[in-house]
Amino acid sequence: MSVYNAPIRDMQFILNDVFKAEEFWQNNQQLSHLDNDTVSMILEEMSKFSKNVLLPLNRTGDEEGATYLGDGKVATPKGFKEAFSQYAEGGWIGLGGDPDFGGQGMPKMVTMLSEEMVFTANQSFALYPNLSGGACLCLYYAGSEEQKATYLEKIYSGKWSGTMCLTEPHAGTDLGIIKTKAVPNDDGSYSITGTKIFITAGEHDLTENIIHLVLAKTPNAPEGSKGISLFVVPKFLVNADGSVGERNKVQAGSIEHKMGIKASATCVMNFDGAKGWMIGAENTGLASMFIMMNYERLTMGLQGIGGAELAYQNAVVYANDRVQGRADSGVKNADKPADSIIHHADVRRMLLNAKVISEASRCFAMYVAKQLDTAKFSDDSETAKKANDRVALLTPVAKAFLTDRGLEASIDCQQVFGGHGYIREWGMEQIVRDTRISQIYEGTNGIQSLDLLGRKVAKNGGAFVTDYVNEILDFANNMTANHAIKQAMIDSANKLADLTKSLLGNLDKKDEINGCAVDYLQAFGYVSFTYMWGLMVEASNGKDGEFYTNKAKLADFYIARMLPRLDAHIAMVKATSQPIMDFDVSFFAVGE
Amino acid sequence: MSVYNAPIRDMQFILNDVFKAEEFWQNNQQLSHLDNDTVSMILEEMSKFSKNVLLPLNRTGDEEGATYLGDGKVATPKGFKEAFSQYAEGGWIGLGGDPDFGGQGMPKMVTMLSEEMVFTANQSFALYPNLSGGACLCLYYAGSEEQKATYLEKIYSGKWSGTMCLTEPHAGTDLGIIKTKAVPNDDGSYSITGTKIFITAGEHDLTENIIHLVLAKTPNAPEGSKGISLFVVPKFLVNADGSVGERNKVQAGSIEHKMGIKASATCVMNFDGAKGWMIGAENTGLASMFIMMNYERLTMGLQGIGGAELAYQNAVVYANDRVQGRADSGVKNADKPADSIIHHADVRRMLLNAKVISEASRCFAMYVAKQLDTAKFSDDSETAKKANDRVALLTPVAKAFLTDRGLEASIDCQQVFGGHGYIREWGMEQIVRDTRISQIYEGTNGIQSLDLLGRKVAKNGGAFVTDYVNEILDFANNMTANHAIKQAMIDSANKLADLTKSLLGNLDKKDEINGCAVDYLQAFGYVSFTYMWGLMVEASNGKDGEFYTNKAKLADFYIARMLPRLDAHIAMVKATSQPIMDFDVSFFAVGE
């Protein structure tokens, strides 16, 4: 029933007009083989696949869900296995992987668009290859040559899949207190024992082997996060010839029953003396994990875009079809008993809200992707370092702000459907339920905010922010388009600089970062969206066609109807953490 | 697993300290039999019932759901029948009903607190008696003496139940285009034919009869909303002696599968020449329906409070139990590997957000309830009229703003649980799913906003707003408490007056009301919350005990962390509808 047509036009616009992809590829030797035609073909292929294969499995997958069959076995919903095979055969799992290991070597600027389409069509499905991709990144950057040779090609090809085993029942955000133990064996391997929860794709029926990347503590490891090591623990041990061997002592104990992403198997994984091998050096497990975090967190942002985009497209169809009431500006469908609700301003307000969210989010994700690619592919170490710093600054914003806005857009578009939005068969409520997880996992959005304000802003005295603000001001001052977005960029960037300065002056209050982080990130997000609309307006300037003039109108709508929130978040941050911490802890109690 | 302890202390505070209930009852002859002890007993009883009987059925009801058994039969989840019997035997269904028909004659100021508890403990359950209450109100005010005698006592006693049949597949918001027909029979009855959807409690196994109140059109009725009549259509015809007779030709065709409130049976009702009797005069059906709308819409606001309150209480318990990370202000639980997350400022921020929402919402609902009671019980017609006008103004705000904030609070409190908030067994995701419907049904919150800005503000040139603003200013100027809320009330009330004036000046733009209504209602809501915090601070002033000093601190938090949103909504309204309507309708399309 759902519709989804990938917004290829907008993707191409952002890729080429805004971020000048071809020029960028020409300037980076490792990417110089790339051209627009190749990329267009990739986008067209995924557009078809997401629409024809993944979308039809979205609601059936939700209704059926993943199933725990007992005895450690998990079944994915009908059709997932075939879709996964096709996805793997198309080379999509290794789209961004190193060609030396069978990957396609595509930059993030391309893979993010493919990932967005997958997340839009089917959030649950997207998680299966997504976790494989995360595990490969970890192995690629921190694994030994032997480990890379053993696992990467198998995972890229979709024969095997990967997981990330971090969380334990008592340890989520606070990984320093994990209890899973890794005891060295004589043969250089380790014996892993412990329970991991919330393991996406921990068990399923899509691949012949599952490669778990597991955080655990060696005997006598230092306390806290400095004593964590990373291990690779295959479900089936791997024979010398690369074939699948003996069953390892790791098993799914159950799967969670969740609000959404029901077709994604979220497993409890029991490691009972399972054989594992250390990745990288002892006690550097968290660092290895963080290598892939920036990629993963951007990807979670894409999930937010997916929710917004699918919700928008379906709400647009409904708003055109549904007739109800007469337009305030005069009868529009005289032959019908009422006008399409698309003519009601409040319906348009909700749709435009979702539209400015999905387009600004896509642009922001591409901005971050370009920085990721610059960091990875640039030959100039100074350029790469600058890009890395920018990635560090913006990644928590991309994860949290894009998923927060994604939920908002989903809810607005559900509202367009009235009562029908609450009924399962229309699919809108599933988008809300599915998208909601993106704000929670991969580090809650509160944790992202702490990362931003604590590690990325306060720790360097706001240096990264200053660079970002200066870039925005430079761009705004040099833009040629005559549009209110120019002044909006200048004002909002200055406000961010001022807010940062004022916050940094309050750090004598011990709870200031924790108490202000979320609103600071929100403010940062709206400043960034303003910048994105500036980039898009400038890239549209002087070009013919409604697509471009509508970009300018969307920027107008953004300034009028969304940007005013910026000042609210600034005021909340400036109010400091004091009104929050003014209560005795005993206040937070419920009666008997 | 869920906890719920009714906030009796806060209810008593709002009832007695803020709104001086006993004094009010003494001054209204029809209520002068009431006293604090009676009311306290009622609250204590419902507190126990909601906690011990309704809460345990909340999650089991969600998991099992209502079931369509085929052949028009619907089963409620296990335990609902017994709970409904107890509820009925306790006299709760007729708590606000006329004693002449077996009701308890309680004012809305009391029934709203009881209703809040029911909605908090079990939103699905609450809807069964709630719809009965709505049908009784309609019958009471618009029905003939015979109709009242036939139905009211039976429904108040819980032997029978009631429904409201408005929506049709093609007609939700726009009731003017309904197709259900009512053809007169020779005996004065009508033959009703048509399909109604989204009928809450349309069929179930809780009562021996179900009394449908149905909107339908008589032959040759005027087009649109002026040609709608209201009919009472019992599932079983009623014999002369009041006993249940022959089966009427109305039957549930199916029930909806929904995002939440799954234990509430949402039915498709097929009327196939069912026998019905007109309520009130021909073509006055909508007017009759609107009699009860103000009560119902306030009740939906209570559902929002319920979501916020249950989410808050459970998040508080979790935040105290869960240890994760160390407090920024220094180690708190040295004997544990980490501190309770209640010590993290961001967790407190989310909890306080929910807390200021539930308490301000309760206060606002009580304010509206007192106006409803004044309108109903006052002997002075001028006083009653003034109260009626105030009710008209504030009812859409109570429905929409309280449910919008209720969803917000539910989501914030779900976030406190991290990943566990997404897992069904913890119950938090159910609160979000259940609460979501309150923004949609009984007139979407967009429709409430149009009602506010179109009918209640623009239609009288802002006269009702002016009165309300003056009341706030008077109160603020005369308050004795030395607290920032005084100035906040003055500023925000003046902003509302100014905003209203500016909007009324823009009504030459045809889409202005539709395009600005939602943000206007939001602004109105924050101004009202400011007033409520002022009322609560003043009522706490000079009183000893942490309960009272914490009220002042909550008001501080409200001013610092929530009120800044007001200016954002004002800015959005002042941006006019133009940026919304600037797009050609063809812009709202999706590709092939």
Side-chain angles (χ1 to χ4, degrees), chain B residues 15 49 73 75 110 137 146 186 244 257 269 364 414 423 443:
Chain B
L15 197 58
F49 185 77
K73 291 195 174 59
V110 175
L137 271 169
E146 190 195 338
D186 294 341
V244 160
H257 301 102
M269 297 304 299
F364 188 64
Q414 181 190 24
I423 306 299

Side-chain angles (χ1 to χ4, degrees), chain B residues 147 180-193 214-221 227-234 237 248-250 271-284:
Chain B
Q147 286 168 338
T180 298
K181 287 277 163 221
V183 180
N185 301 320
D186 294 341
D187 63 357
S189 70
Y190 287 78
S191 206
I192 315 280
T193 302
V214 186
L215 291 182
K217 308 198 86 164
T218 52
N220 308 317
I228 297 176
S229 301
L230 181 64
F231 299 86
V232 55
V233 183
L237 299 178
N248 203 353
K249 288 175 184 160
V250 49
F271 296 84
D272 186 21
K275 211 164 189 180
W277 290 266
M278 195 178 279
I279 300 176
E282 195 166 353
N283 298 330
T284 65

Side-chain angles (χ1 to χ4, degrees), chain A residues 229-283:
Chain A
S229 300
L230 181 64
F231 299 86
V232 56
V233 183
K235 174 180 168 186
F236 290 98
L237 299 179
V238 181
N239 296 325
D241 65 354
S243 65
V244 159
E246 193 186 332
R247 183 73 158 86
N248 203 353
K249 288 174 183 160
V250 48
Q251 185 168 293
S254 62
I255 65 171
E256 306 289 351
H257 301 101
K258 309 186 298 296
M259 183 184 198
I261 53 164
K262 293 188 178 186
S264 168
T266 307
C267 303
V268 175
M269 297 305 298
N270 297 316
F271 296 83
D272 187 19
K275 215 166 187 178
W277 290 265
M278 195 179 278
I279 299 176
E282 195 167 353
N283 300 327

Side-chain angles (χ1 to χ4, degrees), chain B residues 193-355:
Chain B
T193 302
T195 300
K196 295 287 181 177
I197 64 167
F198 299 161
I199 308 309
T200 301
E203 181 58 66
H204 55 75
D205 52 9
L206 303 176
T207 58
E208 65 169 26
N209 203 1
I210 301 174
I211 311 306
H212 304 289
L213 266 54
V214 186
L215 291 182
K217 308 198 86 164
T218 52
N220 308 317
E223 292 230 334
S225 56
K226 286 175 183 164
I228 297 176
S229 301
L230 181 64
F231 299 86
V232 55
V233 183
K235 173 180 169 187
F236 291 99
L237 299 178
V238 182
N239 296 325
D241 64 356
S243 65
V244 160
E246 195 185 334
R247 184 73 159 87
N248 203 353
K249 288 175 184 160
V250 49
Q251 185 168 294
S254 62
I255 65 172
E256 305 288 351
H257 301 102
K258 309 186 299 294
M259 181 183 199
I261 54 163
K262 294 189 177 184
S264 168
T266 307
C267 303
V268 175
M269 297 304 299
N270 299 316
F271 296 84
D272 186 21
K275 211 164 189 180
W277 290 266
M278 195 178 279
I279 300 176
E282 195 166 353
N283 298 330
T284 65
L286 270 193
S288 301
M289 202 61 101
F290 273 106
I291 292 169
M292 59 123 233
M293 279 291 186
N294 283 338
Y295 275 86
E296 284 309 292
R297 287 181 168 171
L298 175 59
T299 296
M300 293 306 109
L302 302 178
Q303 184 174 1
I305 307 178
E309 181 68 34
L310 189 64
Y312 172 77
Q313 291 200 15
N314 283 279
V316 158
V317 170
Y318 186 82
N320 277 288
D321 286 352
R322 176 79 170 174
V323 301
Q324 205 79 179
R326 288 297 180 191
D328 291 333
S329 54
V331 173
K332 293 290 186 294
N333 308 127
D335 55 327
K336 291 187 181 165
D339 293 331
S340 296
I341 61 172
I342 191 70
H343 297 292
H344 300 323
D346 186 52
V347 171
R348 288 196 183 195
R349 181 189 60 80
M350 293 187 276
L351 293 173
L352 286 166
N353 216 36
K355 186 82 170 164

Side-chain angles (χ1 to χ4, degrees), chain B residues 274-497:
Chain B
K275 211 164 189 180
W277 290 266
M278 195 178 279
I279 300 176
E282 195 166 353
N283 298 330
T284 65
L286 270 193
S288 301
M289 202 61 101
F290 273 106
I291 292 169
M292 59 123 233
M293 279 291 186
N294 283 338
Y295 275 86
E296 284 309 292
R297 287 181 168 171
L298 175 59
T299 296
M300 293 306 109
L302 302 178
Q303 184 174 1
I305 307 178
E309 181 68 34
L310 189 64
Y312 172 77
Q313 291 200 15
N314 283 279
V316 158
V317 170
Y318 186 82
N320 277 288
D321 286 352
R322 176 79 170 174
V323 301
Q324 205 79 179
R326 288 297 180 191
D328 291 333
S329 54
V331 173
K332 293 290 186 294
N333 308 127
D335 55 327
K336 291 187 181 165
D339 293 331
S340 296
I341 61 172
I342 191 70
H343 297 292
H344 300 323
D346 186 52
V347 171
R348 288 196 183 195
R349 181 189 60 80
M350 293 187 276
L351 293 173
L352 286 166
N353 216 36
K355 186 82 170 164
V356 300
I357 284 171
S358 71
E359 293 191 2
S361 296
R362 184 174 299 118
C363 193
F364 188 64
M366 186 63 77
Y367 180 96
V368 178
K370 190 172 180 180
Q371 301 289 334
L372 279 166
D373 287 337
T374 304
K376 182 173 177 182
F377 296 111
S378 175
D379 299 323
D380 178 55
S381 65
E382 182 58 28
T383 305
K385 194 205 163 298
K386 236 186 102 182
N388 244 329
D389 291 348
R390 185 61 48 83
V391 165
L393 179 70
L394 299 190
T395 293
V397 184
K399 195 277 181 180
F401 194 69
L402 270 48
T403 57
D404 283 348
R405 296 288 74 72
L407 186 80
E408 175 190 343
S410 313
I411 289 177
D412 266 352
C413 291
Q414 181 190 24
Q415 194 76 14
V416 169
F417 281 68
H420 298 282
Y422 201 68
I423 306 299
R424 295 221 298 264
E425 79 177 285
W426 287 90
M428 298 305 288
E429 60 88 39
Q430 184 191 342
I431 303 175
V432 175
R433 286 188 289 105
D434 287 352
T435 305
R436 179 70 180 98
I437 189 60
S438 64
Q439 302 175 289
I440 297 174
Y441 63 12
E442 203 71 38
T444 65
N445 287 359
I447 294 298
Q448 302 299 328
S449 304
L450 291 176
D451 179 46
L452 172 69
L453 186 51
R455 289 203 203 106
K456 312 301 176 53
V457 176
K459 212 169 172 182
N460 57 44
F464 289 179
V465 182
T466 303
D467 285 347
Y468 185 53
V469 163
N470 286 339
E471 178 182 302
I472 299 174
L473 292 175
D474 275 356
F475 174 79
N477 285 320
N478 291 308
M479 84 183 280
T480 58
N482 180 19
H483 191 286
I485 197 72
K486 176 176 177 164
Q487 196 57 44
M489 278 192 285
I490 293 170
D491 292 345
S492 67
N494 282 327
K495 284 175 184 176
L496 178 62

